Amino acid sequence: MATLIRIGFALAALTVATFTNSVANALPWVLLVLTLDLIATGLLSQVVPTRTRRMQALAVLTVAALASGAAMAYGGIGPKALIVIPAFNVGLHYRPRWVLWITGVGAATGFAIGSLGTGLNEDITSRMLLWTLGAALIGLLGALSRQMEMQAAAASAAVSVDPSLAAEASMLLRRLHELADSLDTGFDAPASAEMALQDLAGRTRSARSAILVGYGDDPAVPLAIRGADRTPWPDPTETGSVLWQAWNEGEPTLSVWDGDYVERSVIAVPMYDETGKRLGVLVADRPAMTPFSEDDLAAAVEVAATHSAHIDLSVVFASLRERAGLEERERLAREMHDGIAQEMVALGFGLDSVRRRARDLDSPIAEDLDGLRKEVSRVLADLRLHIADLRIAVRPDTGLGAMIGSRLQSFGSATGMTTRMHLSETGFRLPAHTEVLIYRLFLQVLTDARHAADTTSMDVRLNVAAPRAELWVSHNGTSQLKRKDFTEHPLRALGAEITVDPYGERGVSVRMRMRARGAAPSATLSHERIPQPS
């Protein structure tokens, strides 16, 4: 439509030239300006023209303005309207100030040529001024039309934002599903980390290696470890740690560490997410008698760069899945608190009223009602504990030991049992979902102790040296737990061993041991042999 309007101005100029018998003078200028305008329109025909195309089109329209200025001086009455064509085209594609630039260039050219060559009189000068002002006005109207179209498009996009977001989310989920099917490890974060360590082992020899993950100020979490069943290096958040520079400064390091039984050569390489923020560290070491070289460091940097995106995706996906589970548990806890818990409280108040009337009437069922009231109170207490258990929130500032210790303390206060706890934790954390599963295992034994009427004491021992963990929970009451209750426990899928043994005369002892997948049965701290090329 805009092109037709500009062609219409060209035809109008020819029509005026026909009535003034100046077609021969006007036709070349009309064809020149119209051709330049069409060239500029072709350069701007892309949906989103590049910056280079826009600059080229503006240069062509400036030449068209120069030609239209010359036409005002040489072409007679009709071609004086040609200045409108480049002005209107600029208004449709550029900001208003460029309309003023085009009309100014055209008018300046026309007046300069007129004053130097053809001569200017009052009639010609007034016509040139009128057409220049008209071109500026029409160009600004074109710019206004363009702005109104952009606002309408933005409003239309705003109206359809929700369907667009839903469609985008659906597309992303479908893409995630396809990606999970195409990846060997899916979105399993430990398996993704183990693939990175396997790649590192294929490029350089090391005795021990690990992937430590932690965003921002979060503690380091070993996702995978080889050559040991615990993390042997100091906490990277501690100043002076061999991993401190890679963890906090983001610099790949090749150093010697003398904090072990034997002096060791250590490589530590930071890993980054797509925004450039540190997501973890790849670390490997071996005895200093066979130190790493710069080529080994370069190979580790390449491995970290190759696998960072996959590990970041796996960790984020696991976090989303964990968040969804915690939100569902919170919803269930809220519904239980607002629903059945309130009804149990009302039932207890009703029983209290009936008990008082029974005692006043010396009814023989008074004692039975007292027993029933105690049972209701016990069920309500269990329900409240279950609600509290559902509201599990693993935070960076609250470790597994703190959660279990706080829960054991509240359990002892509520039941009057004797509770004892022995805790040993390093600065490294287990993955959040692993901590939740261990905590649920502890709650399962806690529930068994609460249901045993003869339980008087409970003992808990927790030893965490990530990725290794050991939990031992026992009580001396009559237990209902059997070994088959743990045969399909989710911790077994993570490589944990769970045993159930008698404790005392009637009690039970549940022991859980976990170490990283792919780790050696025990840490190799001395007499290591690094294979040498033959």
Side-chain angles (χ1 to χ4, degrees):
M1 178 62 71
T3 302
L4 293 177
I5 292 175
R6 298 195 298 276
I7 293 175
F9 279 113
L11 294 176
L14 284 175
T15 302
V16 173
T18 301
F19 285 108
T20 58
N21 297 319
S22 58
V23 175
N25 291 335
L27 185 58
W29 298 109
V30 172
L31 294 177
L32 176 60
V33 173
L34 192 59
T35 300
L36 293 172
D37 179 78
L38 293 175
I39 293 173
T41 302
L43 292 172
L44 296 170
S45 60
Q46 296 180 355
V47 177
V48 182
T50 62
R51 180 180 178 84
T52 302
R53 287 290 185 90
R54 290 178 62 84
M55 293 178 64
Q56 292 173 349
L58 184 61
V60 172
L61 290 172
T62 302
V63 175
L66 292 171
S68 62
M72 284 195 292
Y74 287 112
I77 298 176
K80 288 180 172 56
L82 295 178
I83 187 64
V84 175
I85 295 176
F88 184 62
N89 201 352
V90 167
L92 291 176
H93 297 94
Y94 298 89
R95 294 183 179 180
R97 65 170 179 265
W98 292 111
V99 174
L100 301 179
W101 159 258
I102 290 297
T103 54
V105 167
T109 302
F111 281 108
I113 293 175
S115 61
L116 296 176
T118 61
L120 293 176
N121 54 40
E122 184 177 353
D123 183 50
I124 294 176
T125 301
S126 61
R127 287 181 179 178
M128 290 176 64
L129 285 174
L130 286 175
W131 278 113
T132 301
L133 292 175
L137 179 61
I138 292 174
L140 292 175
L141 288 175
L144 179 62
S145 174
R146 172 176 174 266
Q147 184 177 4
M148 292 175 63
E149 288 178 358
M150 293 176 61
Q151 291 177 351
S156 177
V159 171
S160 59
V161 63
D162 291 337
S164 298
L165 289 177
E168 182 179 357
S170 176
M171 180 181 66
L172 288 175
L173 289 175
R174 291 180 185 275
R175 179 57 183 152
L176 283 174
H177 181 72
E178 295 173 359
L179 185 61
D181 290 340
S182 64
L183 296 175
D184 294 336
T185 60
F187 293 136
D188 186 356
S192 301
E194 287 175 5
M195 286 188 65
L197 296 184
Q198 183 177 353
D199 190 7
L200 178 66
R203 297 169 185 253
T204 184
R205 301 180 306 276
S206 63
R208 303 180 301 199
S209 58
I211 299 290
L212 310 178
V213 171
Y215 296 85
D217 297 329
D218 293 348
V221 176
L223 280 187
I225 186 169
R226 286 192 170 195
D229 60 356
R230 60 181 297 273
T231 309
W233 308 281
D235 187 349
T237 60
E238 297 179 357
T239 304
S241 170
V242 68
L243 308 179
W244 190 90
Q245 188 172 1
W247 186 268
N248 294 277
E249 301 295 333
E251 298 179 4
T253 59
L254 174 58
S255 58
V256 176
W257 176 47
D258 58 0
D260 210 338
Y261 291 106
V262 295
E263 196 174 60
R264 312 186 74 83
S265 178
V266 180
I267 285 176
V269 177
M271 307 178 74
Y272 301 98
D273 61 14
E274 76 237 356
T275 63
K277 296 180 180 179
R278 183 257 301 154
L279 69 91
V281 166
L282 183 151
V283 57
D285 74 0
R286 66 190 190 192
M289 66 180 68
T290 55
F292 289 113
S293 64
E294 292 294 335
D295 292 339
D296 295 326
L297 180 61
V301 170
E302 185 178 352
V303 170
T306 302
H307 293 270
S308 290
H310 193 187
I311 293 175
D312 180 45
L313 173 63
S314 301
V315 172
V316 171
F317 186 79
S319 176
L320 290 174
R321 183 171 52 191
E322 175 193 350
R323 179 178 177 180
L326 292 177
E327 289 178 352
E328 180 65 14
R329 294 170 66 87
E330 177 65 26
R331 184 188 67 82
L332 290 174
R334 185 170 56 253
E335 291 183 356
M336 291 172 63
H337 177 272
D338 297 340
I340 188 173
Q342 300 298 332
E343 294 177 0
M344 291 294 296
V345 171
L347 178 61
F349 290 156
L351 281 174
D352 289 339
S353 177
V354 174
R355 287 168 58 210
R356 283 194 299 270
R357 291 183 62 186
R359 285 196 299 269
D360 293 341
L361 298 175
D362 292 329
S363 173
I365 64 172
E367 293 184 1
D368 295 334
L369 290 174
D370 291 340
L372 181 60
R373 183 64 176 93
K374 291 181 180 179
E375 185 65 18
V376 170
S377 298
R378 185 191 66 80
V379 172
L380 184 59
D382 287 347
L383 183 60
R384 287 172 176 168
L385 289 175
H386 282 302
I387 292 173
D389 294 343
L390 282 172
R391 289 172 173 167
I392 301 173
V394 179
R395 301 183 300 273
D397 57 342
T398 304
L400 178 62
M403 284 197 304
I404 291 180
S406 175
R407 186 67 181 84
L408 186 65
Q409 182 179 8
S410 62
F411 175 77
S413 300
T415 61
M417 297 183 190
T418 301
T419 58
R420 292 177 291 270
M421 182 172 181
H422 178 270
L423 174 64
S424 175
E425 281 187 305
T426 64
F428 295 95
R429 284 280 298 272
L430 293 167
H433 70 283
T434 304
E435 291 187 344
V436 169
L437 292 177
I438 295 176
Y439 184 68
R440 291 179 186 173
L441 175 66
F442 162 74
L443 292 179
Q444 191 171 354
V445 183
L446 200 70
T447 302
D448 182 67
R450 188 169 64 242
H451 289 167
D454 53 350
T455 304
T456 58
S457 66
M458 188 167 187
D459 294 272
V460 179
R461 296 179 186 177
L462 177 65
N463 181 12
V464 178
R468 188 187 68 188
E470 184 175 0
L471 175 68
W472 182 79
V473 188
S474 63
H475 67 81
N476 61 356
T478 303
S479 175
Q480 302 297 323
L481 293 177
K482 306 296 180 183
R483 182 170 299 181
K484 63 180 181 180
D485 296 330
F486 303 95
T487 55
E488 297 182 0
H489 197 279
L491 282 171
R492 291 189 177 274
L494 300 179
E497 300 175 358
I498 303 176
T499 59
V500 180
D501 300 308
Y503 179 75
E505 296 181 0
R506 301 174 302 276
V508 68
S509 169
V510 178
R511 187 171 187 177
M512 187 280 304
R513 297 177 180 176
M514 170 182 287
R515 60 171 157 266
R517 293 179 293 185
S522 61
T524 306
L525 300 177
S526 61
H527 304 293
E528 294 165 312
R529 294 291 182 266
I530 306 298
Q532 299 294 329
S534 56

